[in-house]
Amino acid sequence: MLKEIGLHFKMRRVELGLKAVDVADKLGISKQLLSNFENGKSNNLILAIQYTEVLNYEDDKQRIKSRAEPPEQFGE
């Protein structure tokens, strides 16, 4: 089950276009610890909660950015 949870986080991170090293930096952990978590080798509830917050924040940033961009003009 830990492997499935870690894989879910990793897939979401990749879907958002985030690099592991950048997420690790935001979490204040090593890339190795993040890798262990994503591969199900580490179970840390606090890390899971913080990771969720980082992903939600990045997702919100992308949504705001896409709403702020003007729509493409047709026929130009």
Side-chain angles (χ1 to χ4, degrees):
M1 183 164 177
L2 290 176
K3 199 167 194 170
E4 291 173 12
I5 293 169
L7 182 59
H8 170 77
F9 278 96
K10 182 177 183 176
M11 288 174 35
R12 186 67 180 131
R13 173 181 60 76
V14 171
E15 184 180 298
L16 290 170
L18 301 171
K19 295 179 182 178
V21 68
D22 295 332
V23 172
D25 285 344
K26 288 175 192 258
L27 292 170
I29 61 173
S30 69
K31 185 177 176 289
Q32 183 62 48
L33 180 58
L34 182 69
S35 177
N36 287 344
F37 178 78
E38 289 183 343
N39 291 313
K41 297 177 183 173
S42 171
N43 64 344
N44 185 322
L45 182 58
I46 301 297
L47 178 57
I49 292 168
Q50 291 173 331
Y51 199 158
T52 300
E53 291 173 351
V54 168
L55 294 178
N56 286 340
Y57 173 77
E58 293 297 326
D59 189 35
D60 288 346
K61 255 183 21 181
Q62 288 183 5
R63 284 185 188 154
I64 290 168
K65 183 180 176 188
S66 68
R67 280 188 250 149
E69 294 174 355
E72 293 183 26
Q73 297 294 322
F74 294 103
E76 287 186 16

